[in-house]
Amino acid sequence: MPEQPEQPEHSEHSEHSEQREQPRRAERPEQSAEPERPAPGPPAAARPTSRDVARAAGVSQATVSLVLGDKWRGRVSERTAGLVRRAAGELGYRPNLAARNLRLGRTRTALLVVPALTNEFFARVYTGAAAVAARHGFGVVLYPSPEGVGPARDPFASARAALDGVIASSMAAGALGAIRGTDLPLVMLDSDPSDGGAAARVNLDIADGMRQVTDHLLALGHRRFAHLASAVPSWTFDVRKRALAARLGGLDGVTVTTVPAPLEVNGAREAAERALTAPGPRPTALVCDDDIVAAGACKAVRRLGLRVPEDVSVTGFDDLALATAVEPELTTVRLPAERIGERGMAALLDVLAGRPPERGDLPVTLMPRGSSGPPPGR
């Protein structure tokens, strides 16, 4: 039997459905067969390439790659590097970082671990590190550990592949076990030089800062000292304690008492009140491990009906913003927080590039202000 041609499907239901639909279609306004299209705008400007930069600077693409990849030193002159950077800026050229990172096996991201986010000092460390990182196409992620005392939680289970290295600032001994167990390069800031495991280390001359404070107070005539020592177990505070004891120990007629103080105003105020009301002659100088402790000490002096500095001199450490916000303004040791952040990030970049990092402690500076003066009767 010959094949019958296929018939289109048809049913009573479909016929009635179509009949029911027809009036609705008739009610719709007539539409044009082709929707209106917006008038074409000007063609998008082509994204500049490294070839465009090379042509504008009069150099090869390889030279452009060296300069913009920050690998030109020793290979390209300062003048040529400047020409390339200027041409790139004028053209608005931006390297394809994703492709470059994939090619190099790098994410161009560093982790900065700090004891706390609430302390201005660490905010300034971050500012310095981020500024250097930005100039080299890196980003910095800020990560707090619990006060720099307990072990830092391990951020690496999920983040290890997203980091090129770690910078840790002012961390307590034993707080970095999880970080040291990784294969990431670690740069330590303000930390014990004898503690191994760091690829590089950047320190402040903390001991000299404490010597500057004590020499200043001795020159004013003070002989009775109380040290409001931070209760946080950290290398940087241990150095302050040892330096003060080394400078004042054995001096005729000089006494020093040590009172532990928490790093917060009210706790420091209570510690200062204990120091000032203890049996025996009252201290004439309160040497504080931190500006926040010093602010609490100033409150204690006033609550006891005494005056700063006429009855008791008070000194701090760090030179935070509050040092010039209190009255009288605080004599303190200025720590170059942004500079240590800059040096820390530069050290990490050196380690990643296989270069020796810069060595030497950063100097600190005494800032004499109104909170220190001669002792009573002097």
Side-chain angles (χ1 to χ4, degrees), residues 152-234:
R153 295 184 303 277
D154 182 4
F156 301 102
S158 59
R160 183 181 288 112
L163 298 171
D164 284 334
V166 180
I167 305 168
S169 178
S170 310
M171 301 296 291
L176 296 170
I179 295 172
R180 285 175 170 149
T182 72
D183 55 359
L184 293 169
L186 172 63
V187 174
M188 296 291 293
L189 313 181
D190 193 26
S191 62
D192 189 350
S194 67
D195 189 5
R201 197 177 302 275
V202 181
N203 276 339
L204 300 160
D205 198 344
I206 296 294
D208 183 59
M210 187 56 83
R211 284 191 292 269
Q212 291 181 51
V213 167
T214 51
D215 286 349
H216 170 69
L217 293 171
L218 286 168
L220 289 171
H222 291 275
R223 294 297 181 267
R224 297 195 302 273
F225 295 82
H227 179 205
L228 297 188
S230 168
V232 174
S234 174

Side-chain angles (χ1 to χ4, degrees), residues 67-377:
V67 173
L68 299 184
D70 201 35
K71 297 180 179 178
W72 59 273
R73 291 172 180 80
R75 305 182 190 182
V76 175
S77 70
E78 286 271 5
R79 177 181 173 279
T80 300
L83 289 173
V84 171
R85 285 193 291 265
R86 186 159 51 251
E90 290 172 354
L91 292 172
Y93 173 72
R94 295 290 182 274
N96 186 335
L97 291 180
R100 184 172 68 181
N101 294 344
L102 184 62
R103 185 171 66 253
L104 297 175
R106 295 264 178 87
T107 64
R108 304 185 80 78
T109 303
L111 187 75
L112 174 61
V113 185
V114 299
L117 294 180
T118 54
N119 190 305
E120 176 194 331
F121 177 83
F122 299 113
R124 287 159 49 193
V125 170
Y126 171 81
T127 298
V132 172
R135 292 200 294 269
H136 293 82
F138 268 69
V140 178
V141 177
L142 192 59
Y143 180 79
S145 81
E147 299 178 0
V149 180
R153 295 184 303 277
D154 182 4
F156 301 102
S158 59
R160 183 181 288 112
L163 298 171
D164 284 334
V166 180
I167 305 168
S169 178
S170 310
M171 301 296 291
L176 296 170
I179 295 172
R180 285 175 170 149
T182 72
D183 55 359
L184 293 169
L186 172 63
V187 174
M188 296 291 293
L189 313 181
D190 193 26
S191 62
D192 189 350
S194 67
D195 189 5
R201 197 177 302 275
V202 181
N203 276 339
L204 300 160
D205 198 344
I206 296 294
D208 183 59
M210 187 56 83
R211 284 191 292 269
Q212 291 181 51
V213 167
T214 51
D215 286 349
H216 170 69
L217 293 171
L218 286 168
L220 289 171
H222 291 275
R223 294 297 181 267
R224 297 195 302 273
F225 295 82
H227 179 205
L228 297 188
S230 168
V232 174
S234 174
W235 173 82
T236 188
F237 295 124
D238 290 343
V239 169
R240 296 168 208 208
K241 182 177 180 180
R242 290 196 300 267
L244 186 142
R247 182 66 187 91
L248 299 180
L251 292 180
D252 288 340
V254 171
T255 61
V256 183
T257 58
T258 301
V259 180
L263 293 179
E264 52 96 11
V265 172
N266 286 332
R269 174 184 56 76
E270 293 171 357
E273 287 175 354
R274 290 195 299 272
L276 292 170
T277 57
R282 187 175 64 223
T284 62
L286 299 179
V287 180
C288 304
D289 269 356
D290 176 273
D291 288 350
I292 296 171
V293 174
C298 289
K299 291 187 73 171
V301 173
R302 287 191 295 271
R303 286 199 179 193
L304 293 171
L306 303 171
R307 298 167 300 166
V308 177
E310 290 83 358
D311 299 308
V312 181
S313 289
V314 178
T315 64
F317 225 92
D318 283 353
D319 199 25
L320 304 178
L322 67 79
T324 52
V326 298
E327 187 61 42
E329 294 186 355
L330 190 62
T331 294
T332 187
V333 176
R334 175 173 292 172
L335 304 183
E338 288 191 29
R339 182 73 184 113
I340 197 173
E342 292 170 356
R343 276 274 300 271
M345 187 66 215
L348 179 59
L349 293 171
D350 286 337
V351 169
L352 291 172
R355 299 186 297 262
E358 185 179 351
R359 301 178 67 86
D361 293 348
L362 291 169
V364 301
T365 308
L366 178 70
M367 306 299 294
R369 298 190 181 107
S371 71
S372 59

Side-chain angles (χ1 to χ4, degrees), residues 32-37:
S32 59
E34 194 170 323
E36 287 187 18
R37 295 179 182 172

